[in-house]
Amino acid sequence: MRQHAPRNAMDDLDEIARFRDRCSAFMGALLDELATTPDQPRTFPEIEDALGWPRRRLASVLGGVSHMRHAEFGGRRPYRFYGDRDSASGRWEIWVDAGQAAAIASD
């Protein structure tokens, strides 16, 4: 499968920790949840259910962090995506790899 914009995924552990420190409580909760299952892409509804969030909250959180991501991190992000055409589910999927999860968990 082909990742969506893999060049934007962070791999520097210090950069990931700094992103985690700077983000909102909702984004922090999302990162913490993703870090519980590294290397396992999940659909947005699956993650929203795990967090007890209503539908579309995850998309809203990602939209909310966009300005910070671009202004402070050059558009880079501490998570990865499969687009709906490239995922096993046929929906957008998001995950963190093992290195990203370790950086998130160490924060």
Side-chain angles (χ1 to χ4, degrees), residues 9-56:
M10 293 177 178
D11 55 13
D12 180 273
L13 302 184
D14 292 332
E15 183 181 36
I16 294 167
R18 190 166 66 87
F19 185 99
R20 175 65 179 83
D21 287 342
R22 295 278 301 123
C23 69
S24 71
F26 282 125
M27 187 68 212
L30 171 59
L31 292 174
D32 292 345
E33 174 58 30
L34 293 174
T36 67
T37 57
D39 297 312
Q40 295 182 26
R42 292 184 280 166
T43 65
F44 287 20
E46 289 174 303
I47 296 164
E48 289 164 338
D49 287 347
L51 289 165
W53 287 357
R55 291 291 181 260
R56 307 285 307 148

Side-chain angles (χ1 to χ4, degrees), residues 73-94:
F73 297 95
R76 296 174 52 75
R77 50 182 158 70
Y79 46 86
R80 299 176 179 277
F81 285 116
Y82 285 132
D84 54 353
R85 288 182 239 167
D86 297 311
S87 70
S89 68
R91 303 182 76 163
W92 279 84
E93 296 177 351
I94 186 172

